[in-house]
Amino acid sequence: EITATDNVLVENTDYVQADCVKGNRHTASFYQHVHQKTIDQPKIKKKHFNVVVFGFDSISQQNFRRSLPKTSAALKRISAETNCEAITAERMNIVGDGTTDNLLAVLVGKLENELYEARTAKSGGKPVDGWPWLMTSYNEHGYATHYAEDHMKQNAFQLRLRGWSQPPTHHYGRPFAIA
């Protein structure tokens, strides 16, 4: 607990929130520093992002092209004008009954029933930190990593699973989104 007269230096964090509390009652959030920033981390060997994965759930390839023509054109333009190649998973099919199952196929390479128990409704479930995440492999090879979803409060690994106990990447969008 910090009193109003304490001087506090906050380092090595992407986000800060300070709250007023009187007794056991939260009275107000008086300061929020939720500006996302990059923190120099010595274990990152690469100086730029080499792999960016965007996922569009519940949309077919053809509907993506029709509904998001500027995005589709930008991906083609990036491929043509740079050394980067935008790849679309044209033959990718659903592998399960929702976002979580389909993300697991891409980010872990396994089905949920092949991994240890992480559901909140099951006793003995653990956070998903120990699953073999693609991001973990990139972290170990010196890449800077970031993970975010469009609905971070109820994202694919927090809604019915126990989520991560530690951020899964160097930069994790969930604290920023729920602040």
Side-chain angles (χ1 to χ4, degrees):
E1 184 174 305
I2 300 169
T3 65
T5 58
D6 291 338
N7 290 318
V8 179
L9 177 63
V10 179
E11 296 184 75
N12 298 324
T13 183
D14 286 345
Y15 316 99
V16 175
Q17 178 173 337
D19 294 318
C20 290
V21 178
K22 185 174 184 178
N24 290 332
R25 200 176 106 227
H26 179 267
T27 58
S29 292
F30 68 92
Y31 177 75
Q32 289 186 343
H33 177 75
V34 292
H35 306 287
Q36 194 165 11
K37 62 181 181 176
T38 302
I39 299 170
D40 291 333
Q41 297 187 21
K43 65 181 177 180
I44 299 173
K45 297 174 189 164
K46 310 287 188 223
K47 294 295 181 190
H48 60 279
F49 291 102
N50 298 75
V51 177
V52 178
V53 177
F54 286 102
F56 296 90
D57 195 20
S58 299
I59 188 169
S60 70
Q61 185 70 232
Q62 289 302 319
N63 198 22
F64 170 76
R65 290 184 180 126
R66 281 191 305 269
S67 302
L68 300 165
K70 290 179 183 178
T71 304
S72 182
L75 291 173
K76 288 178 185 174
R77 188 180 69 253
I78 290 168
S79 290
E81 295 174 359
T82 68
N83 289 332
C84 299
E85 185 178 355
I87 299 170
T88 57
E90 294 188 24
R91 290 176 178 79
M92 182 178 171
N93 291 307
I94 62 169
V95 295
D97 190 28
T99 301
T100 303
D101 292 331
N102 292 301
L103 278 175
L104 283 174
V106 174
L107 299 176
V108 177
K110 294 182 181 253
L111 299 173
E112 188 178 337
N113 64 4
E114 297 175 301
L115 300 160
Y116 66 75
E117 184 61 66
R119 290 176 289 180
T120 55
K122 297 288 184 177
S123 63
K126 298 185 296 187
V128 299
D129 301 58
W131 288 359
W133 296 99
L134 177 66
M135 300 89 77
T136 303
S137 180
Y138 275 103
N139 289 344
E140 291 168 355
H141 286 89
Y143 289 81
T145 56
H146 179 91
Y147 181 81
E149 291 185 41
D150 58 347
H151 197 316
M152 292 300 288
K153 288 184 181 181
Q154 296 180 346
N155 73 34
F157 306 107
Q158 301 287 143
L159 183 61
R160 62 178 189 78
L161 299 175
R162 295 184 187 270
W164 289 281
S165 62
Q166 297 295 316
T169 54
H170 295 106
H171 305 284
Y172 182 41
R174 188 165 195 266
F176 182 75
I178 62 176

